[in-house]
Amino acid sequence: MAGKDACNNSYDLKTARLWRDAALRSRKLRSSLRQLTLNCEDQSKLTLPDDLGDVEVLNLGNNSLEDVPDGLCSLSACNLHVLILRRNKFLNVPSAVYELGRLTELDMSHNRLSCLTEAVGLLSQLKKLCLSHNQLQTLPRQLGSLLHLEELDVSFNRISHLPDTMRTLPRLRALDLDHNDLCSFPQQLLHMPALEELDFSGNKMLGSSCSGSLPEDIRSMHSLKILWLSRTGICTLPGTFCDLVNLDSLMLDNNNLNSLPSGFGALQKLKMLNISSNAFQEFPVALLQMFNLEELYLSRNKLVVLPQEISKLSKLITLWLDNNRIRYLPDSIVELNFLEELVLQGNQIAILPDNFGKLSKINIWKIKDNPLIQPPYEVCMKGIPYIAAYQKELAHSQPAVQPRLKLILSGLKDAGKTVLRHCLMDGQQPNHMVHGNKGIEVNNWTADADRGLTFIVYDLAGDQSYDIIKPFFLSPGALYIIVVNLKSYVSKYFYKYVGFFLHFISAKVPHAVVCIVGTHADLCDKKEVEEKCLDIHHQIALQEKRESEMLQSLAQTIDEALGQDYDLRSSNPHTAFSGVSDKNLRRRKAHLQYLVNNRLQILSPVLCVSCHDYSNIRRLREKLLSVAEHREIFPNLHRVLPKSWQMLEELHFKPQELWLTWWDSARLGLQAGLTEDRMQSALSYLHESGKLLYFEDNPTLKEYVFHNLTKLIDILNVFFQKDATVLLDKLSSDVTTDELRVSPLHHYVEGFLLHGLLPTHIIRSLLKPHIKTQQDLNLILELLEKMGLCYCLNKPKANLLNGATAWYKFPCYVKNEVPHAEAWINGINISGPSLAIEQLQIEYNFPFLFPPGLFARFSVQINNLVVHRSDGKFQIFAYRGKVPVVVSFRQAKGALQQDILSIASHASLPNIWTAWQAITPLVEELNALLQEWPGLYYTVHVLCSKCLKRGSPNPHPFPGELLTQPRPEGVTEIICPKNGSERVNVALVYPPTPTVISPCSK
């Protein structure tokens, strides 16, 4: 979903840009005028200075005024030209305002006006009148007497008709009627010869026929340059629409259009066209005649094919085609040399045209959710330069199809994963006792030599000790097998056996292909097997239905909120999503829709096997092969690679060292025919596809290539083996160092298993024979920190003095519930005042799944951001500078509860910015980690500080989207709906600066 968020942000910027010229013009006009702005928290004390004779612009906005200050009418004979009264609480236009006959601009937007009287005619010199975001139902006839009026904004009101006199406004150039209750296109608009900008969006036209929604006489509006008709319900445009030849920008999105008039190409001045969210099944041919078009938006239609002639639109800078049904792109698209934005996500594109890398100016590129095979998905996701490198490499060497599929076995401990793996790979029952519990294992399996079909089999340990590292092995394009021990399976524990693994896979890899395999069938009678398989099938369906209905219900709630006026929604603290911007609501809706549309592909029925009956194993093998070769299910199996990239991968499999330097890897590249300048993109692909590890963004690790994944997995298994006996045996086998003679081995093992603490010399002993040099050890520790598995408690900037030892902390091992001061290492006393005064608390709620290992990884990621930390199993006390922070995790205790992770701090109200400064980087770090879980549903809230101070067990949660929004203008307090009379300072809900990464965005 991150792709969609980026698209939404860019879209909002572009649409806002259409109206900014008017604002800029106003500012330029005002900049030379003498201005005065008055602000006062107590409206009764707001008084006008005595000498205002020279003031030309008076700004009284954002003061919660219900009436204007005394003496305003005395300015009628002065030089006052601009009066700003926006964001107050006026119910009517004050009579004193009507006496200011010299006004040229009046802004009363964002008030509570229910009517505008005929007295408006007294303001005969007005050039600009802004009445948006009020509650107006009609406009007075006297509005037509404002002969100098050039700009009128009455958007976001309840106006159902316009006065006939509006046609007599000879100079009206810009009119904003957005989001009113106009059910047909007003005839008055057809008689405004000067009108250049019109926004009629959000008015649902309910004409007698669809073709009558826009009048034939619209041709008379020949001066129009900018026209917005978004969300008006129109399904056709009259032919006369094509006579609006001066149009520069046209918004027709979110309607029911399926075609454009044949003469549409006559709009030769059109530079921007948005026809997204309509019903186009074919690319409108008329657009191919619009040679000056620079921005074209065709998102969310039903397009299947793009014409070759699209290259005629040679001036295109922006092209959005996301969420259609496009299967391929025409070769001519690479001739759009000025293209800077190309959005293609959510289509069915498998192959990009040759020379696609020529589109080098593209800086906004979205391609996810396509079945890409050439270039491979991993290459495309890296961007145009990597696509160019791939295509260049493909031209240098022969293409190679690489049928290799990742097969991941998961399930509870003792489910039979390891035995099943041996049966599948060996083609027969193991002739010796096979033991699992060795951690995570990876093997290559040539499933069908004739077809050249190979699986890379990952056997994920069932032991929960390995939960923190399992997510690293889940990736798109893999086939997932959930192994269930049918003998021990009990219906009431369905979630433990199956449901959890479905959530786990879905959160990490939405739309993954999952197969359920029941083992130990030979230990159950036939009826028992049938009943248990049916139960698993039934409960999977129930779980999927329950979650889909919940997500759809949430999406409907958002639709209802979007149907409300933003100001109305924000003024009522009891409404859902109070204060949340439409942009953030659309972002959340898009994520929910993504989750609904990308449910797991669960193969049915449950496949039952017994390793004592090889016929069942054979059927399972055939099932896996047939699924793997299905092009629509696994397009990546048929991806095309340059022969040199495939050779580079094979060459990296041969060295037995733990790692290679970049130069060692480059030498292998030369053997594969890759010069140094072509190595980077090849290594990047191999990293993204999980063949090796290469961290090009890390200053230390970018000099090395970790090619031996089997050895790396063996090392990871050492750290997550929680058996004290095994750990002691490893240490006992290496008793050559003085350190080990001095201190009993069990002391270190106990410290590791209770507190997650290990010194470097013990780590080195544990990892023998996997590492041989100090450099091996340093790189492995750097890699573990990069993966978020551990951090150094006392990392030195230079060599440690006096023989001091560096200690590493593995947070997933911490056993004590309450943070424990590690004074025996650091000698630091962590203490401080209880969270009092004003408390800030950001809460993350996880209704379906809390990602395994997330708290421990978050603990590692924030280590560079905090000092004087003390860790408990599910709680961290620390400081950001001198400001305390607390990170807590609370597990759900029942089916109706949710897992909760919170980040809190406190300060006095005048210094609350320091608390925001303390927790905001932690919030952004957590948001970044959650981006690794695109299928995860969670919510974010800012808890009411007044409720927290009262000790309320259920403090009111303000929407977390407010963290990404600027503080509302003129608002100092927000009502807590838990207690209607209680007001919360806005500084306790909104951060001083919006967070960089949005909560709940994907």
Side-chain angles (χ1 to χ4, degrees):
M1 303 290 294
K4 292 179 182 177
D5 295 334
C7 292
N8 285 337
N9 290 337
S10 181
Y11 174 84
D12 291 328
L13 288 172
K14 286 181 173 298
T15 53
R17 191 177 68 195
L18 291 176
W19 293 102
R20 73 181 179 187
D21 291 342
L24 289 173
R25 282 194 297 272
S26 296
R27 289 173 188 163
K28 287 176 183 176
L29 287 171
R30 293 180 196 162
S31 62
S32 60
L33 303 178
R34 184 182 174 191
Q35 303 187 38
L36 175 65
T37 299
L38 297 177
N39 290 305
C40 186
E41 293 185 8
D42 186 349
Q43 66 189 56
S44 64
K45 293 181 181 179
L46 186 61
T47 56
L48 298 178
D50 293 334
D51 184 14
L52 290 177
D54 294 332
V55 172
E56 295 172 288
V57 178
L58 180 60
N59 186 350
L60 302 177
N62 300 306
N63 281 300
S64 300
L65 297 176
E66 296 180 3
D67 202 353
V68 292
D70 295 337
L72 184 67
C73 58
S74 66
L75 300 178
S76 59
C78 298
N79 292 321
L80 188 64
H81 295 298
V82 178
L83 178 61
I84 300 172
L85 296 170
R86 67 194 311 264
R87 293 194 181 275
N88 282 295
K89 297 180 179 179
F90 294 108
L91 299 176
N92 297 287
V93 179
S95 57
V97 173
Y98 290 131
E99 298 182 30
L100 302 175
R102 296 189 179 186
L103 282 184
T104 58
E105 181 177 334
L106 174 63
D107 184 352
M108 291 201 68
S109 60
H110 296 272
N111 277 284
R112 303 172 183 176
L113 304 180
S114 57
C115 68
L116 184 67
T117 68
E118 297 290 348
V120 72
L122 298 173
L123 302 175
S124 58
Q125 301 302 308
L126 273 185
K127 292 183 178 180
K128 182 175 180 180
L129 177 59
C130 186
L131 299 168
S132 67
H133 294 86
N134 279 288
Q135 300 169 27
L136 299 174
Q137 296 183 21
T138 60
L139 295 174
R141 291 180 55 79
Q142 282 300 108
L143 194 67
S145 66
L146 303 180
L147 301 182
H148 296 281
L149 197 63
E150 296 178 3
E151 299 179 30
L152 175 60
D153 184 355
V154 290
S155 59
F156 291 91
N157 278 283
R158 303 171 185 173
I159 298 168
S160 57
H161 65 277
L162 301 179
D164 291 338
T165 55
M166 279 191 66
R167 67 180 66 195
T168 63
L169 295 172
R171 299 184 183 179
L172 192 65
R173 183 183 51 75
L175 175 60
D176 192 345
L177 296 168
D178 186 14
H179 278 81
N180 276 284
D181 295 334
L182 297 161
C183 58
S184 63
F185 195 84
Q187 292 292 314
Q188 296 89 328
L189 304 185
L190 304 176
H191 304 280
M192 295 181 176
L195 197 63
E196 296 180 354
E197 303 175 14
L198 172 63
D199 189 346
F200 194 70
S201 300
N203 291 282
K204 298 297 182 184
M205 293 192 283
L206 306 172
S208 57
S209 67
C210 222
S211 60
S213 295
L214 287 177
E216 293 284 336
D217 291 343
I218 197 169
R219 60 166 33 128
S220 65
M221 304 181 72
H222 51 78
S223 297
L224 274 182
K225 295 180 180 179
I226 298 176
L227 177 58
W228 283 24
L229 293 169
S230 309
R231 300 180 187 274
T232 52
I234 56 176
C235 54
T236 60
L237 297 175
T240 54
F241 189 90
C242 305
D243 294 334
L244 303 178
V245 293
N246 288 309
L247 276 179
D248 174 271
S249 300
L250 177 59
M251 305 286 289
L252 291 166
D253 57 291
N254 289 280
N255 285 297
N256 300 308
L257 297 169
N258 57 24
S259 64
L260 296 176
S262 58
F264 199 79
L267 305 180
Q268 284 297 305
K269 293 184 180 180
L270 199 64
K271 292 183 178 179
M272 194 280 281
L273 174 63
N274 188 343
I275 49 177
S276 298
S277 298
N278 277 285
F280 290 96
Q281 296 185 21
E282 297 181 355
F283 189 92
V285 177
L287 296 185
L288 300 175
Q289 305 168 38
M290 308 183 75
F291 307 121
N292 292 307
L293 205 60
E294 295 179 1
E295 300 176 28
L296 177 58
Y297 302 91
L298 269 160
S299 308
R300 297 177 297 280
N301 279 283
K302 301 175 182 177
L303 301 180
V304 176
V305 176
L306 285 184
Q308 282 286 347
E309 295 82 2
I310 197 170
S311 59
K312 292 181 179 180
L313 306 180
S314 58
K315 294 185 179 179
L316 268 187
I317 297 173
T318 300
L319 178 59
W320 288 22
L321 298 163
D322 56 287
N323 295 289
N324 280 281
R325 301 170 183 174
I326 299 169
R327 302 188 71 88
Y328 64 90
L329 298 175
D331 293 339
S332 60
I333 199 170
V334 304
E335 297 171 24
L336 299 176
N337 298 320
F338 295 102
L339 211 56
E340 295 179 8
E341 298 184 19
L342 182 56
V343 179
L344 298 169
Q345 67 187 41
N347 280 287
Q348 299 171 25
I349 300 168
I351 298 175
L352 296 181
D354 292 339
N355 298 315
F356 197 79
K358 285 174 57 179
L359 299 173
S360 57
K361 291 185 179 180
I362 290 178
N363 53 60
I364 293 182
W365 162 249
K366 303 295 175 186
I367 191 66
K368 66 182 291 187
D369 300 328
N370 279 283
L372 293 156
I373 61 174
Q374 187 178 343
Y377 181 84
E378 297 85 353
V379 174
C380 292
M381 291 298 290
K382 294 286 286 185
I384 301 298
Y386 288 84
I387 293 172
Y390 165 88
Q391 293 187 326
K392 181 180 178 182
E393 194 58 43
L394 207 59
H396 270 84
S397 61
Q398 296 178 349
V401 179
Q402 187 181 36
R404 189 191 302 241
L405 184 66
K406 195 171 182 179
L407 181 67
I408 298 178
L409 302 173
S410 61
L412 287 177
K413 188 176 180 179
D414 298 326
K417 299 183 294 298
T418 304
V419 175
L420 177 63
R421 169 167 59 87
H422 278 278
C423 289
L424 284 172
M425 293 176 58
D426 299 339
Q428 60 185 6
Q429 180 184 346
N431 54 16
H432 60 281
M433 184 65 69
V434 175
H435 295 286
N437 306 325
K438 294 180 181 179
I440 294 170
E441 297 183 72
V442 58
N443 301 91
N444 284 309
W445 170 32
T446 302
D448 192 315
D450 294 336
R451 287 181 279 184
L453 184 57
T454 302
F455 288 94
I456 305 175
V457 185
Y458 286 81
D459 182 353
L460 300 190
D463 194 318
Q464 291 184 347
S465 305
Y466 298 89
D467 280 357
I468 189 172
I469 57 174
K470 289 177 188 175
F472 292 112
F473 303 100
L474 273 57
S475 60
L479 173 57
Y480 294 86
I481 295 181
I482 299 175
V483 183
V484 184
N485 184 335
L486 290 178
K487 178 59 181 176
S488 61
Y489 173 79
V490 180
S491 178
K492 69 176 181 178
Y493 296 126
F494 162 81
Y495 187 78
K496 175 183 176 183
Y497 279 85
V498 180
F500 165 79
F501 295 99
L502 294 176
H503 277 161
F504 178 40
I505 295 168
S506 178
K508 187 69 176 175
V509 189
H511 209 52
V513 182
V514 178
C515 177
I516 314 293
V517 174
T519 60
H520 300 86
D522 56 308
L523 302 180
C524 310
D525 58 42
K526 185 176 181 181
K527 182 179 179 182
E528 184 182 2
V529 168
E530 289 179 359
E531 289 177 348
K532 290 187 174 182
C533 289
L534 283 173
D535 181 77
I536 291 171
H537 182 75
H538 175 65
Q539 294 214 51
I540 288 174
L542 284 178
Q543 179 168 299
E544 286 293 301
K545 180 183 178 184
R546 186 166 56 246
E547 289 164 18
S548 293
E549 288 177 349
M550 176 183 168
L551 294 172
Q552 288 168 347
S553 175
L554 290 167
Q556 184 177 349
T557 304
I558 293 175
D559 283 336
E560 293 168 358
L562 283 169
Q564 298 176 321
D565 172 37
Y566 170 74
D567 279 347
L568 181 64
R569 190 169 70 239
S570 299
S571 64
N572 184 355
H574 296 276
T575 59
F577 306 110
S578 178
V580 179
S581 68
D582 286 357
K583 179 177 77 172
N584 269 329
L585 285 179
R586 287 194 295 269
R587 176 187 290 143
R588 179 182 274 215
K589 168 72 181 296
H591 182 225
L592 288 171
Q593 201 60 55
Y594 173 79
L595 296 180
V596 170
N597 295 341
N598 288 276
R599 307 302 296 167
L600 292 177
Q601 303 175 75
I602 303 173
L603 305 179
S604 184
V606 177
L607 300 173
C608 303
V609 298
S610 164
C611 290
H612 296 287
D613 182 357
Y614 188 68
S615 61
N616 288 335
I617 296 293
R618 187 181 299 110
R619 281 195 291 271
L620 176 58
R621 282 169 60 101
E622 290 305 316
K623 178 71 173 179
L624 295 179
L625 291 175
S626 65
V627 170
E629 289 194 307
H630 200 295
R631 280 184 174 266
E632 291 188 8
I633 297 178
F634 288 111
N636 62 313
L637 190 65
H638 306 275
R639 58 188 167 196
V640 178
L641 292 178
K643 186 72 174 177
S644 56
W645 287 17
Q646 185 175 344
M647 287 179 63
L648 182 68
E649 178 186 344
E650 292 170 355
L651 288 169
H652 274 83
F653 283 156
K654 294 179 180 178
Q656 295 302 307
E657 296 89 352
L658 182 58
W659 48 267
L660 298 173
T661 67
W662 192 90
W663 290 108
D664 291 335
S665 183
R667 292 187 188 96
L668 295 178
L670 289 173
Q671 294 181 43
L674 285 166
T675 55
E676 181 184 331
D677 60 315
R678 289 150 53 202
M679 272 290 293
Q680 192 80 6
S681 54
L683 286 177
S684 176
Y685 164 73
L686 293 175
H687 171 83
E688 294 294 335
S689 58
K691 304 301 193 312
L692 50 73
L693 296 181
Y694 174 60
F695 298 99
E696 54 188 311
D697 60 342
N698 185 285
T700 302
L701 297 179
K702 71 178 182 180
E703 300 298 329
Y704 302 91
V705 176
F706 296 91
H707 64 292
N708 198 329
L709 293 187
T710 302
K711 280 193 174 182
L712 281 177
I713 291 172
D714 289 341
I715 288 173
L716 292 177
N717 286 335
V718 169
F719 286 114
F720 299 98
Q721 169 61 259
K722 292 191 176 182
D723 189 320
T725 303
V726 174
L727 291 171
L728 281 170
D729 287 344
K730 286 183 178 294
L731 290 176
S732 299
S733 65
D734 175 38
V735 292
T736 59
T737 63
D738 292 337
E739 294 92 340
L740 289 178
R741 293 196 184 99
V742 171
S743 185
L745 300 181
H746 69 82
H747 170 78
Y748 293 107
V749 172
E750 181 181 341
F752 183 45
L753 296 181
L754 288 179
H755 309 298
L757 292 168
L758 279 178
T760 50
H761 65 279
I762 294 296
I763 293 175
R764 181 167 183 169
S765 295
L766 282 173
L767 294 182
K768 285 188 176 181
H770 303 299
I771 61 173
K772 298 177 182 177
T773 67
Q774 185 63 35
Q775 189 178 18
D776 284 350
L777 179 62
N778 293 340
L779 283 176
I780 287 299
L781 291 172
E782 185 84 26
L783 178 62
L784 293 176
E785 286 195 72
K786 171 72 177 176
M787 296 173 73
L789 302 178
C790 68
Y791 62 88
C792 186
L793 288 172
N794 53 348
K795 180 176 285 189
K797 294 182 180 179
N799 290 332
L800 286 164
L801 300 177
N802 301 322
T805 299
W807 286 78
Y808 279 79
K809 178 102 171 180
F810 293 75
C812 61
Y813 273 94
V814 177
K815 289 287 193 299
N816 48 301
E817 298 290 335
V818 179
H820 169 71
E822 288 141 0
W824 60 290
I825 294 175
N826 289 327
I828 292 171
N829 179 24
I830 299 177
S831 62
S834 60
L835 292 188
I837 318 174
E838 298 293 351
Q839 184 169 335
L840 288 182
Q841 187 162 329
I842 314 299
E843 192 172 87
Y844 288 70
N845 295 70
F846 300 84
F848 300 143
L849 174 83
F850 184 78
L854 178 65
F855 185 82
R857 287 192 65 209
F858 182 50
S859 174
V860 173
Q861 296 298 106
I862 66 173
N863 188 57
N864 290 331
L865 300 173
V866 299
V867 295
H868 305 330
R869 63 182 290 169
S870 181
D871 291 27
K873 185 176 183 180
F874 294 128
Q875 197 169 47
I876 303 166
F877 290 162
Y879 284 87
R880 285 264 303 154
K882 296 183 179 180
V883 183
V885 290
V886 178
V887 178
S888 303
F889 172 63
R890 186 169 74 247
Q891 285 183 305
K893 295 182 179 178
L896 300 178
Q897 293 186 336
Q898 301 181 8
D899 293 325
I900 296 173
L901 191 152
S902 65
I903 305 170
S905 184
H906 73 267
S908 62
L909 186 56
N911 294 317
I912 201 65
W913 62 272
T914 63
W916 280 114
Q917 200 173 53
I919 67 173
T920 298
L922 275 63
V923 167
E924 292 178 347
E925 197 68 49
L926 180 56
N927 291 339
L929 272 178
L930 289 169
Q931 298 298 308
E932 298 176 9
W933 298 82
L936 179 68
Y937 176 71
Y938 63 95
T939 58
V940 186
H941 305 284
V942 183
L943 298 189
C944 172
S945 63
K946 292 291 180 74
C947 293
L948 291 171
K949 187 177 286 188
R950 269 202 322 269
S952 170
N954 296 301
H956 173 67
F958 292 102
E961 285 81 2
L962 302 184
L963 293 169
T964 70
Q965 298 177 196
R967 292 178 180 174
E969 266 186 85
V971 178
T972 58
E973 293 180 320
I974 301 174
I975 296 175
C976 171
K978 290 278 186 180
N979 183 348
S981 62
E982 195 157 48
R983 295 176 180 272
V984 182
N985 192 292
V986 70
L988 298 171
V989 179
Y990 291 83
T993 304
T995 54
V996 176
I997 301 178
S998 303
C1000 307
S1001 68
K1002 299 289 180 186

